[in-house]
Amino acid sequence: MSDAESAAWDYVIVGSGAGGGTLAARLVEAGMRVFLLEAGGDPRAAAERLPEDYDVPAFHAFACENAAMSWNFRVRHYADEGRQAKDWKYEAGQGVLYPRAAALGGCTSHNAMIFMLPHDADWNHVAQLTGDRSWRASRMRRYARRVEDCRHRPVWRALRHVGLDPTGHGWGGWLRTEKSIPLSVLGDEGLVRVLRDTASVFTSSLPTPLLSTLRWLRGGLGDPNTRRLRPGSFEGICYTPLATSEHRRAGVRERLLDVAARHPGRLQLELDALATRVLFDADGAACGVEYLKGKRLYRAHAAPSSAEGVRRDVRARREVILCGGAFNTPQLLMLSGIGPAAELEAHGIPLQKNLPGVGRNLQDRYEVAVTHRMREPWEVLEGARFDRDDTLWRHWHEERSGMYASNGAALGVVSRSATADRTGQEPDLFCMALLAGFEGYFPGFSKRVRDQPDQLTWAVLKAHTLNRAGTVRLRSADPRDTPLVNFHYFEEGDDQAGEDLRAVVQAIRFVRRMTAPLLAKGWIAEELAPGAAVQSDEALADYVRNTAWGHHASCSCPIGPPEKGGVLDSAFAVHGVPRLRVVDASAFPRIPGFFVAAAVYMIAEKAADAVLRTAMRTPLSAS
């Protein structure tokens, strides 16, 4: 009998990412014993380009394609093959690449490290849906403070000791946040010109330019996470705060290793362990997890193993908590007999609980690119090979300076689409200037970052989308197979009126207005995509349909009543299945904010409170 089978673990958690890793660490600090399953290994282990791909912020695209930790899902955006085939990133018979990470820390090991809080309306919607006032935005802010150790507002960090802090930031959390563009890169004339002209065009487009500028200064100098001094959410030009420590990636991996070191014996990090199904006792309550021990067992891996793996199981005295993300959590639930009865029957899986909402309601943001070729390569990227020991790496390694200390995002602009403005909804458009060529995910996409140092991409992101039609379905009953994922974009889904589509077209036109001075002066040589020939609303809409992608998959096991497709209650418990919870991006009923990581950190901290309250009410002998 293995240690996993014989040890007395209070909780078994599947997945070590923003949800599972955050939750596990907090439960261990509360005195619990936690067995944490992770299908990958340590992302800083000795392998090609590691640990540099993990550590260096500018290398995050290479981390996404690093075979030591990458899971390459292939997804569809449309069921219609003719429509899907118009996307140049689509591989017939395969799909569109959707990178995920199999590593300690989950997708926080390869993401772009952006830490932006969701909007108040995202939390208030959950409170209204469930009747649980603990989800109100005013109460959720404390979880952001519990996570964050803000290092990009030094004045307010100093003044907090004398009781002055209107920002709402966290100053003592476990996740350090810093600015994305170090001052050391502002010697690049081209970069300064992009920042200056963008700011000028944006400000002059406002109804009251001077007043709006003063409000922006008073509201935190482009800090999107500061508490507003007036009602409403942040709008305008901003920087993108990053989860880095002294301009080096820092996240869930570091949190878990720190907690394990401080509380020996309480946290078992079981790496290279692929969960295959939840185990149940005679009363139908979750009591453990079966898993396969071995490296690269899941077929999403860049180089999957042909080995079978060693079958093991681990038991939980209190609860089993699934945190595998929007693709893997619904897959694991269905493999365990929890999900749509007809689908489980089709795969010969015995029914444990009929929950039709499992694997439905899948959502993502729409993202498209407006890319340009500059007249000259970026000065800040001169000599960049995006490898160890080049000039920029040495500046980063020795001084934590230069462009490698950034994720490549020069600045962001938050605004509202015409629909959001008319209806008074939260800002739903985020446009981000990247000093690289990036038009979505396809095999080898990271090489473009390295090989084209004269590119400027405006990534256009549409949040608060209307589409709820995405699905995660079983490919087979084999837990090593990836699921079938289809997001059913735009008209194929719920956006029959085309509101999302029009919003993205509006954002492209907005970006073109901001870049027009740079084109007129010759600093931008040409617009590569959509390209100067693509001008009409219809042509731009086709460009969006044919090229849009996403990378924040969410909502496939949503909180909500089961009769409306809900899978979880407001405390993350699976409806009708005792001692089983889900705490990851799949739990949201609607995709929150612009970037999902901060929201997942927050719900993991909230879930820890819910789990510990249950533990206090339930004597161990009764569990």
Side-chain angles (χ1 to χ4, degrees):
M1 184 175 288
S2 71
D3 291 342
E5 295 169 315
S6 62
W9 301 102
D10 295 307
Y11 300 94
V12 174
I13 297 177
V14 178
S16 68
T22 301
L23 174 61
R26 190 63 69 187
L27 293 179
V28 168
E29 288 180 330
M32 299 298 178
R33 302 189 73 247
V34 177
F35 192 92
L36 182 60
L37 289 155
E38 168 55 54
D42 187 334
R44 295 191 80 251
E48 185 179 359
R49 290 187 58 93
L50 290 175
E52 283 74 24
D53 280 357
Y54 178 85
D55 290 342
V56 184
F59 287 15
H60 62 89
F62 301 93
C64 285
E65 294 203 274
N66 192 306
M69 59 178 173
S70 59
W71 270 4
N72 298 326
F73 285 85
R74 304 291 179 152
V75 307
R76 295 186 69 93
H77 298 155
Y78 305 97
D80 182 83
E81 183 67 17
R83 164 55 66 190
Q84 180 65 81
K86 292 181 179 181
D87 187 342
W88 62 270
K89 301 182 295 298
Y90 172 67
E91 295 182 71
Q94 296 291 319
V96 179
L97 176 64
Y98 202 112
R100 308 293 276 177
L104 184 62
C107 288
T108 69
S109 297
H110 76 178
N111 68 2
M113 296 151 285
I114 295 174
F115 184 88
M116 285 182 66
L117 300 178
H119 296 117
D120 286 354
D122 297 317
W123 302 130
N124 293 337
H125 170 255
V126 182
Q128 183 179 16
L129 177 69
T130 62
D132 185 343
R133 293 183 60 82
S134 71
W135 281 94
R136 296 285 301 173
S138 57
R139 300 190 184 185
M140 289 297 294
R141 189 86 193 201
R142 62 177 171 163
Y143 294 115
R145 292 195 294 269
R146 188 182 290 182
V147 171
E148 186 185 26
D149 178 15
C150 177
R151 299 301 179 103
H152 55 89
R153 301 295 300 278
V155 173
W156 290 115
R157 185 176 181 85
L159 290 176
R160 81 190 193 282
H161 294 298
V162 294
L164 294 175
D165 177 19
T167 69
H169 278 291
W171 307 104
W174 55 267
L175 186 69
R176 184 177 294 198
T177 60
E178 301 173 333
K179 281 189 178 180
S180 58
I181 291 286
L183 293 176
S184 58
V185 307
L186 294 181
D188 186 327
E189 181 184 2
L191 175 57
V192 171
R193 191 177 295 112
V194 167
L195 299 174
R196 182 192 65 212
D197 286 5
T198 299
S200 176
V201 172
F202 176 79
T203 303
S204 64
S205 70
L206 300 173
T208 55
L210 180 59
L211 180 59
S212 297
T213 300
L214 291 174
R215 285 176 174 169
W216 177 75
L217 291 170
R218 192 168 67 242
L221 295 170
D223 174 4
N225 291 331
T226 195
R227 183 188 291 125
R228 307 268 70 77
L229 297 181
R230 60 190 178 92
S233 299
F234 179 91
E235 292 182 70
I237 297 173
C238 67
Y239 57 88
T240 53
L242 299 187
T244 55
S245 179
E246 297 181 345
H247 300 298
R248 169 178 169 173
R249 182 189 294 273
V252 177
R253 172 189 177 275
E254 288 68 34
R255 168 75 164 145
L256 288 168
L257 293 177
D258 171 67
V259 167
R262 287 190 288 112
H263 302 284
R266 285 195 207 162
L267 177 61
Q268 172 69 34
L269 300 175
E270 186 78 346
L271 304 181
D272 299 316
L274 177 66
T276 56
R277 65 185 176 107
V278 178
L279 302 173
F280 303 96
D281 64 18
D283 297 322
C287 65
V289 173
E290 179 187 85
Y291 66 99
L292 293 174
K293 181 70 172 177
K295 294 183 178 181
R296 307 189 312 277
L297 297 176
Y298 197 53
R299 295 189 177 106
H301 200 283
S305 171
S306 59
E308 294 296 321
V310 179
R311 191 169 301 275
R312 295 180 181 175
D313 62 72
V314 57
R315 304 288 170 155
R317 300 191 300 175
R318 292 188 178 275
E319 296 183 24
V320 173
I321 307 173
L322 307 185
C323 308
F327 299 159
N328 291 103
T329 288
Q331 180 185 18
L332 185 55
L333 284 172
M334 288 186 280
L335 289 172
S336 306
I338 302 169
E343 180 163 358
L344 302 186
E345 182 181 2
H347 290 285
I349 299 172
L351 183 66
Q352 184 74 25
K353 175 66 179 179
N354 181 25
L355 274 180
V358 173
R360 305 308 188 258
N361 194 54
L362 177 68
Q363 298 168 39
D364 207 335
R365 302 183 180 88
Y366 294 122
E367 193 163 346
V368 298
V370 182
T371 57
H372 310 84
R373 181 175 60 85
M374 305 302 292
R375 186 179 70 182
E376 301 287 345
W378 299 107
E379 292 178 31
V380 291
L381 293 178
E382 184 177 356
R385 299 192 310 270
F386 289 90
D387 205 347
R388 186 187 180 106
D389 292 331
D390 70 18
T391 302
L392 275 71
W393 182 87
R394 287 194 293 273
H395 285 313
W396 173 84
H397 180 68
E398 296 166 6
E399 306 164 8
R400 291 295 190 265
S401 65
M403 202 62 203
Y404 282 3
S406 164
N407 68 347
L411 82 164
V413 179
V414 177
S415 63
R416 297 173 193 260
S417 67
T419 299
D421 193 44
R422 184 179 67 251
T423 58
Q425 297 173 5
E426 298 279 17
D428 61 333
L429 298 176
F430 186 82
C431 303
M432 179 169 53
L434 308 173
L435 306 190
F438 178 63
E439 295 180 10
Y441 299 105
F442 58 93
F445 79 92
S446 60
K447 295 178 183 177
R448 182 175 177 184
V449 175
R450 181 192 63 206
D451 297 341
Q452 298 178 330
D454 61 349
Q455 306 278 292
L456 169 67
T457 298
W458 277 91
V460 172
L461 190 153
K462 169 67 175 84
H464 304 299
T465 53
L466 297 173
N467 192 13
R468 313 278 188 269
T471 58
V472 179
R473 299 171 53 240
L474 290 179
R475 186 183 304 272
S476 75
D478 185 344
R480 297 180 62 182
D481 276 344
T482 59
L484 299 169
V485 179
N486 194 328
F487 287 95
H488 296 290
Y489 274 8
F490 300 114
E491 297 97 334
E492 188 173 290
D494 298 328
D495 188 24
Q496 298 296 317
E499 291 186 15
D500 288 339
L501 197 59
R502 285 193 294 274
V504 181
V505 170
Q506 175 187 337
I508 293 173
R509 293 199 181 283
F510 174 61
V511 166
R512 282 177 162 175
R513 288 196 298 274
M514 289 193 294
T515 56
L518 296 166
L519 271 164
K521 296 172 185 177
W523 299 114
I524 291 178
E526 61 177 326
E527 180 184 290
L528 300 174
V534 182
Q535 292 293 333
S536 69
D537 284 350
E538 183 179 355
L540 286 171
D542 268 343
Y543 171 74
V544 173
R545 289 189 190 95
N546 296 344
T547 66
W549 73 90
H551 61 290
H552 298 133
S554 308
C555 311
S556 52
C557 298
I559 292 171
E563 63 272 16
K564 295 184 178 180
V567 175
L568 313 175
D569 68 15
S570 66
F572 307 94
V574 177
H575 291 305
V577 185
R579 297 173 54 189
L580 181 63
R581 301 193 207 225
V582 169
V583 183
D584 58 29
S586 72
F588 298 113
R590 296 193 317 205
I591 186 169
F594 292 117
F595 297 90
V596 75
V600 178
Y601 292 136
M602 291 171 69
I603 66 169
E605 294 286 358
K606 178 176 174 58
D609 284 352
V611 169
L612 292 170
R613 279 195 300 271
T614 299
M616 290 179 64
R617 295 194 304 264
T618 309
L620 193 57
S621 58
S623 63

